[in-house]
Structures are given as C-alpha cells and as structure tokens.
Amino acid sequence: MIRLNVFFLLEEEKNRQPLIDAATELVELSLHDKGCVAYDVFGSLTVDNHLMICETWKNRADLEAHMATEHFRRIVPRLQALATMTTEEFTF
C-alpha cells in the first residue's frame, strides 16, 4: 500500500476556505477511484494556516490512475495556486 501525506501551508487567510472547498471536492471524488483505501482532509488544531490531505492506495497503478483522472488534474492545480504544497510518501 502507499500512503501520501500532502501538506498545505497557507500564505493568506483569504485562501483558507477556497482551499478547504477544493480539497473537500477532491476527497469526495477520489474516494470513488479504484484502489482508494482512504482519503481525507485535516486541519491543524494549533496552527490555522496548515492543512493536510492523507490518502492511502492499494498499489502504484491505482495511484497513477487517480493522478490521471479529470478531477485530480482539475483540482490539484487549484490547490497549488492557493497554498504551498509538499508531499510525503510511504510504502507499506
């Protein structure tokens, strides 16, 4: 399995709600993608400008298929325009 932790650092408070809205849409659509085990968005309880998407995939092929979907290609650039995005990947 593959786990991705995708972190978002908001530079501007005005981008918080648009980021949450876009991330929530990505989560709702991605949960239906083949091989998706888990997909959710989380906000920090201590730092207002940090959010994270945590996703788990059965295998690399399913993750790559997800990254080729219309919703991923449409929403991820929007997320990147709203905040600085970094990713950690773990295989287990």
Side-chain angles (χ1 to χ4, degrees), residues 10 12-25 41 48-49 51 78-79 82-83:
L10 288 156
E12 299 181 39
E13 177 61 30
K14 69 178 184 172
N15 290 343
R16 183 176 174 75
Q17 193 58 52
L19 181 74
I20 290 169
D21 294 343
T24 301
E25 180 184 5
V41 62
D48 287 344
N49 66 339
L51 293 149
R78 192 170 7 151
L79 295 171
L82 292 167

Side-chain angles (χ1 to χ4, degrees), residues 22 25-26 29 69-79:
E25 180 184 5
L26 181 62
L29 295 170
T69 63
E70 180 278 332
H71 56 270
F72 182 93
R73 293 182 299 136
R74 175 176 50 85
I75 298 170
V76 170
R78 192 170 7 151
L79 295 171

